[in-house]
């Protein structure tokens, strides 16, 4: 679990740095930072997405996964979790005599949205990817922390940019990093025999496609509920395991 804690630590430190510096940034500069985050995220996603071995698996996984995610509203659930985290961590403002201005309400709701939005995007970005899976397995089985430490550095710098552009919600993504990445590390001995190079490539491709969606959101090109596509990762695993077995029965 050491590597997971280091990863969480770099995200927290990066978030703190981003938040501290953001106070000195103008709205225009913050918009530029968010645009840069979007472009970098697109590049990362494209590099991962082109690792696919079967475009059919990738297409079906995203479509079927998206339908499942929409049906159970994963995106909404994560946003609600982000809103709840903000509610319990942000002190309530003192009551002020007179009516609250409509502009104050709008700004407060926008702040809540940014918190949840930052939490959602950072959580998906930091948890989706082959480095998370491979790194967790190596850390758990071989006690080789190289990949996770490398990922931690990358996540830390991305956290600076995300926190500067979208706020403190970025730091709270460590909760899902701890649960997901920590869980993989603890279960690595059990899961490792089932993970092949082909499976990692397909998972990486599907994760890359989801990260591309995050990039499009950050650039304001399209509003995509990215978390709803997360079941696609599991669908990819099912395809990689089951399709060869089915083919073997008929050959």
């Amino acid at each position: 679990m050491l590597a997971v804690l280091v990863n969480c630590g770099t995200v927290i430190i990066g978030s703190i740095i981003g938040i501290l510096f953001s106070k000195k940034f103008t709205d225009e500069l913050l918009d530029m930072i968010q645009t840069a985050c979007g472009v970098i995220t697109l590049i990362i996603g494209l590099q991962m997405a082109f690792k696919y071995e079967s475009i059919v698996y990738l297409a079906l996984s995203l479509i079927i996964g998206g339908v499942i995610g929409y049906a159970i509203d994963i995106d909404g659930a994560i946003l609600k979790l982000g809103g709840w985290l903000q509610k319990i961590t942000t002190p309530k403002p003192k009551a002020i005599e007179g009516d609250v201005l409509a502009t104050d309400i709008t700004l407060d709701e926008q702040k809540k949205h940014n918190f949840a939005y930052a939490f959602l995007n950072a959580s998906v970005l930091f948890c989706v990817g082959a480095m998370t899976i491979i790194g967790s397995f190596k850390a758990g089985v071989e006690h080789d922390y190289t990949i996770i430490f490398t990922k931690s550095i990358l996540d830390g710098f991305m956290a600076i940019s995300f926190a500067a552009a979208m706020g403190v919600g970025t730091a709270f993504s460590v909760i899902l990093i701890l649960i997901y990445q920590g869980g993989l590390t603890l279960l690595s001995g059990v899961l490792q025999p089932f993970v092949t190079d082909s499976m990692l490539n397909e998972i990486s491709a599907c994760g890359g496609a989801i990260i591309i969606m995050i990039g499009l959101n950050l650039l304001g090109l399209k509003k995509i509920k990215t978390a709803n596509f997360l079941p696609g990762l599991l669908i990819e695993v099912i395809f990689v395991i089951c399709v060869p077995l089915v083919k073997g029965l008929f050959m």
Side-chain angles (χ1 to χ4, degrees), residues 75-129:
D75 194 276
I78 295 178
L79 284 175
K80 286 178 182 177
L81 175 59
W84 178 76
L85 287 171
Q86 185 191 34
K87 185 177 180 180
I88 64 173
T89 55
T90 304
K92 294 182 179 180
K94 294 181 180 179
I96 301 175
E97 293 183 5
D99 296 331
V100 179
L101 295 175
T103 52
D104 293 334
I105 296 174
T106 302
L107 288 172
D108 185 56
E109 289 182 351
Q110 181 65 32
K111 185 178 179 181
K112 288 181 180 179
H113 172 74
N114 286 342
F115 183 102
Y117 184 69
F119 173 73
L120 169 66
N121 284 314
S123 296
V124 174
L125 178 63
F126 296 150
C127 292
V128 173

Side-chain angles (χ1 to χ4, degrees), residues 17 20 35 39 53 85 103 108 136 158:
I17 294 172
L20 291 176
T35 299
V39 172
E53 295 184 7
L85 287 171
T103 52
D108 185 56
S136 297
M158 286 300 293

Side-chain angles (χ1 to χ4, degrees), residues 10-62:
T10 59
V11 170
I12 292 173
I13 293 171
S15 299
I16 292 172
I17 294 172
I19 292 166
L20 291 176
F21 277 94
S22 70
K23 295 178 180 179
K24 299 181 180 180
F25 295 162
T26 63
D27 290 341
E28 183 179 2
L29 184 54
L30 285 174
D31 183 64
M32 290 177 62
I33 292 173
Q34 182 159 328
T35 299
C37 286
V39 172
I40 293 169
T41 304
L42 277 178
I43 293 170
I44 294 172
L46 286 168
Q47 286 180 329
M48 292 172 58
F50 282 110
K51 291 182 179 180
Y52 70 85
E53 295 184 7
S54 171
I55 191 64
V56 175
Y57 290 179
L58 178 58
L60 290 175
S61 295
L62 286 174

Side-chain angles (χ1 to χ4, degrees), residues 167-233:
V168 70
T170 304
F172 284 82
S173 64
V174 298
I175 296 173
L176 293 188
I177 293 174
L178 188 61
I179 295 172
Y180 175 66
Q181 197 165 289
L184 284 177
T185 302
L186 293 174
L187 294 172
S188 56
V190 177
L191 298 176
Q192 192 178 33
F194 302 99
V195 178
T196 63
D197 290 339
S198 178
M199 183 182 292
L200 287 173
N201 287 337
E202 297 294 355
I203 291 175
S204 181
C206 189
I210 295 172
I211 289 174
I212 289 172
M213 295 177 193
I214 295 175
L216 294 175
N217 278 341
L218 292 173
L219 292 172
L221 298 177
K222 185 174 178 61
K223 176 60 179 174
I224 305 173
K225 295 184 176 181
T226 53
N228 282 348
F229 291 88
L230 289 175
L233 297 169

